[in-house]
Amino acid sequence: MDLARLRDADLAALADAAATWRGFAVRLYEVDDALPARVIGPLAAMTGEATTAAQESLASLRGLLESRAMRAEAMADVFEQVHDGLTPLQRDLRTLLLQADAERLTVGEDGVVTAPEVAPVHHEYTDAIAGILSRAETLEASAVAAVTDITPERIGVVGVVGAHEFNDVRDDAHENGIALDVPRPRDGMSPEEARDWWNGLGLSGQRAFLLAYPEEAGAMDGLPTGVRDEANRWNLRRDIEVGWDRDAAADMLAKLESRDHLPPEKRAYLISYQPPGPNRDPDARIVASIGDPARAANTGIYVPGMTTDLPSFSAPDGGFDRTVAMYNATDKFTDAETAMVFWLGYDPPDAPDLAEPGHLAAGMSDNAANAGTPGLDRFINTLNATHDDSIPSHTTVVAHSYGSTLTGIADSTEDGLAVDDILFVGSPGVEVSDAEDLHVGAEHVWVEAADDDEISYWGNHGTDPAGEDFGANRLLTDTPGHSGYWIEDSISLNNMGAILADHPEKTTRTDPRNEFLGMVVE
């Protein structure tokens, strides 16, 4: 960067270019957002080979639109950063030139400043100009490096896009973020501090951070639900390409996208995602929601039990389907906005090998439950801290099987969980002997336990929550076994919906069990 180029540069053109690229990105995102409601939604009710082919083609088109929009945003970031960086340098240079002229000094095109009498070098001005030109040259070089991977021939090319395309775009955006010194949060921010930091970035700063550091954005408590969903879907797409369980990751993305055609308050949001390790050790960590918890009047948090993992999330009657079922059941009892969260923020025990001695050891241990309680407590506190203050909030934990053990421990230690109600479903015990030992209070402890649910009789984690000695409110069930509670239109599911909607008076109750059937394990 030489003196004349910086002095005479039309920096307004850089701002115009940034605005043009960003407008292009916005338009691509708008088209991508419109596809689910206008095209994909109507196709969901159709079947056949042609419909399947059309759905696959549209999914590819959405991927293409999003990847191109990401590249366009990256280009806008580059132009904006260069404009913002060169503007003060150009101003400082022009000021120095005016000052030098006022002192009747001569400024050469090489930036060397001399006095007219004996032509000595005027080092103060010369050094100042050299410093400005050096910083401008560094900025220019960074911009060139950032643009190198955002080649024009890769933008606007129509074709099929796969997960590798997103990974290419992500890698480029990350490199751009480093080159352009995109702002990053300090370590240890509280959710409230993170929210304020995010709001202070401005739109361009937010998009630059999201593109450059999606892993951080996806995991950052305090950021808007939609932002974390966008970041985590990018992270999920990366897992589809290079992860340890690619098919399950792809199934999960398909489940999430199946609701993209619905209004925002009914869509699926991926709030947090950590891919599974080799051989699912550890299992994936997944937090997904139907509806936005930050704006919901009623929020449910479903804590699943043993064997829950990435594949089971998308399986029939798995985590996603159960979460949707509870969301729909809640809607029957309220017109207020609802959010139903699937929380797998811990590593639950795997399925026991029934052929091995001590096969129930994992389920009998409370190690995994104890390890998961801080995460559940932190997640609930984050929801409360980032909830829209103008909207009343009612929060319920629905904990199934081993998830009830985790929840019981979490609500009986220290200051408990900051929730209004807890519903234990098919519980083998919650590590307390009386509902009064829970911080939420016995009147807000609810239990569903089918008569033929053998696991609810185990008692390996304390007093039977459905028994009369425990003191909880037992709800009537009409569904079979340990996993049938979510059958559509059942009394069991409707009772869940009434509790989640904060209408306990609309539940159907039953007497507690009058005897405890413990399972003896040898």
Side-chain angles (χ1 to χ4, degrees):
M1 176 72 71
D2 59 36
L3 185 149
R5 285 182 60 209
L6 179 58
R7 180 192 62 207
D8 301 332
D10 179 11
L11 300 185
L14 291 174
D16 292 342
T20 299
W21 278 110
R22 204 169 298 283
F24 179 46
V26 168
R27 182 55 183 152
L28 289 173
Y29 280 127
E30 288 175 346
V31 174
D32 179 46
D33 289 341
L35 278 176
R38 298 184 181 181
V39 182
I40 298 175
L43 284 175
M46 303 172 64
T47 59
E49 292 183 4
T51 299
T52 300
Q55 290 171 334
E56 292 175 351
S57 177
L58 286 168
S60 178
L61 176 58
R62 292 198 68 197
L64 181 71
L65 289 168
E66 190 168 350
S67 67
R68 298 305 183 262
M70 290 166 66
R71 289 193 182 280
E73 278 197 287
M75 288 294 291
D77 290 339
V78 172
F79 280 108
E80 193 169 87
Q81 291 277 358
V82 174
H83 170 270
D84 293 347
L86 289 182
T87 297
L89 294 177
Q90 185 186 65
R91 182 184 61 244
D92 292 347
L93 175 63
R94 288 177 174 177
T95 299
L96 281 173
L97 294 178
L98 288 173
Q99 291 174 346
D101 184 65
E103 296 183 30
R104 299 186 178 182
L105 301 175
T106 301
V107 181
E109 289 300 311
D110 58 358
V112 176
V113 181
T114 57
E117 293 84 1
V118 292
V121 175
H122 203 291
H123 291 288
E124 181 181 352
Y125 278 99
T126 299
D127 292 345
I129 292 174
I132 291 173
L133 296 179
S134 176
R135 292 195 295 275
E137 185 173 355
T138 299
L139 180 62
E140 183 181 44
S142 297
V144 170
V147 171
T148 298
D149 287 330
I150 316 174
T151 52
E153 62 268 18
R154 297 182 67 180
I155 299 176
V157 178
V158 178
V160 177
V161 63
H164 66 278
E165 171 81 7
F166 286 97
N167 292 333
D168 289 344
V169 174
R170 276 185 34 152
D171 291 343
D172 294 346
H174 179 66
E175 292 173 5
N176 294 344
I178 295 174
L180 299 174
D181 195 24
V182 170
R184 298 176 72 180
R186 62 174 175 80
D187 294 336
M189 279 187 177
S190 68
E192 296 91 338
E193 290 171 332
R195 177 193 57 204
D196 293 343
W197 172 84
W198 175 260
N199 291 337
L201 288 179
L203 179 59
S204 62
Q206 291 171 352
R207 297 305 303 179
F209 174 73
L210 178 61
L211 286 168
Y213 302 105
E215 291 91 350
E216 289 186 38
M220 194 171 178
D221 292 337
L223 266 58
T225 303
V227 171
R228 296 185 68 174
D229 172 65
E230 185 175 2
N232 284 311
R233 290 203 193 193
W234 294 347
N235 298 334
L236 181 59
R237 289 189 179 98
R238 188 180 190 89
D239 199 35
I240 292 171
E241 176 66 15
V242 300
W244 293 99
D245 202 340
R246 302 175 191 182
D247 289 342
D251 290 341
M252 181 179 179
L253 181 60
K255 281 286 190 180
L256 297 171
E257 290 183 339
S258 70
R259 299 184 68 87
D260 282 355
H261 64 286
L262 298 173
E265 66 272 13
K266 295 180 179 292
R267 291 179 187 170
Y269 298 92
L270 187 55
I271 298 175
S272 181
Y273 179 69
Q274 296 179 31
N279 299 317
R280 297 179 191 149
D281 185 20
D283 283 324
R285 302 291 194 273
I286 303 166
V287 181
S289 178
I290 307 300
D292 183 356
R295 295 194 51 78
N298 296 294
T299 298
I301 302 165
Y302 170 48
V303 183
M306 288 176 59
T307 76
T308 307
D309 55 16
L310 179 59
S312 70
F313 175 84
S314 305
D317 190 37
F320 184 84
D321 288 353
R322 291 179 181 181
T323 304
V324 171
M326 287 183 280
Y327 176 90
N328 292 336
T330 306
D331 257 6
K332 294 180 180 180
F333 296 94
T334 180
D335 293 328
E337 194 166 324
T338 296
M340 191 69 216
V341 179
F342 172 88
W343 185 85
L344 185 63
Y346 80 116
D347 190 4
D350 294 324
D353 184 351
L354 300 181
E356 293 294 326
H359 61 270
L360 297 179
M364 293 179 69
S365 169
D366 60 5
N367 290 342
N370 280 310
T373 55
L376 179 60
D377 184 52
R378 183 171 56 252
F379 175 72
I380 292 171
N381 290 340
T382 297
L383 288 187
N384 292 332
T386 55
H387 190 270
D388 188 332
D389 291 338
S390 67
I391 302 173
S393 176
H394 172 263
T395 304
T396 304
V397 175
V398 180
H400 179 233
S401 193
Y402 191 84
S404 70
T405 305
L406 185 159
T407 302
I409 294 172
D411 196 48
S412 61
T413 55
E414 298 182 359
D415 59 350
L417 299 174
V419 299
D420 301 290
D421 290 279
I422 294 177
L423 170 56
F424 297 126
V425 180
S427 174
V430 298
E431 297 292 351
V432 298
S433 59
D434 194 304
E436 288 292 351
D437 295 332
L438 297 170
H439 281 81
V440 73
E443 67 275 18
H444 293 286
V445 179
W446 310 86
V447 178
E448 289 195 9
D451 289 336
D452 62 347
D453 181 351
E454 293 184 2
I455 291 177
S456 72
Y457 290 101
W458 279 6
N460 51 322
H461 290 290
T463 303
D464 178 10
E468 58 184 356
D469 291 340
F470 190 78
N473 303 287
R474 188 183 179 198
L475 302 175
L476 183 67
T477 58
D478 62 341
T479 47
H482 188 59
S483 301
Y485 298 97
W486 292 271
I487 293 176
E488 187 176 3
D489 293 327
S490 65
I491 294 175
S492 303
L493 182 58
N494 285 339
N495 277 334
M496 289 187 203
I499 296 300
L500 288 162
D502 196 21
H503 282 293
E505 76 281 0
K506 296 183 179 181
T507 60
T508 304
R509 307 191 192 188
T510 189
D511 294 332
R513 293 200 275 230
N514 58 14
E515 63 178 2
F516 174 68
L517 301 178
M519 177 175 285
V520 178
V521 181
E522 298 181 350

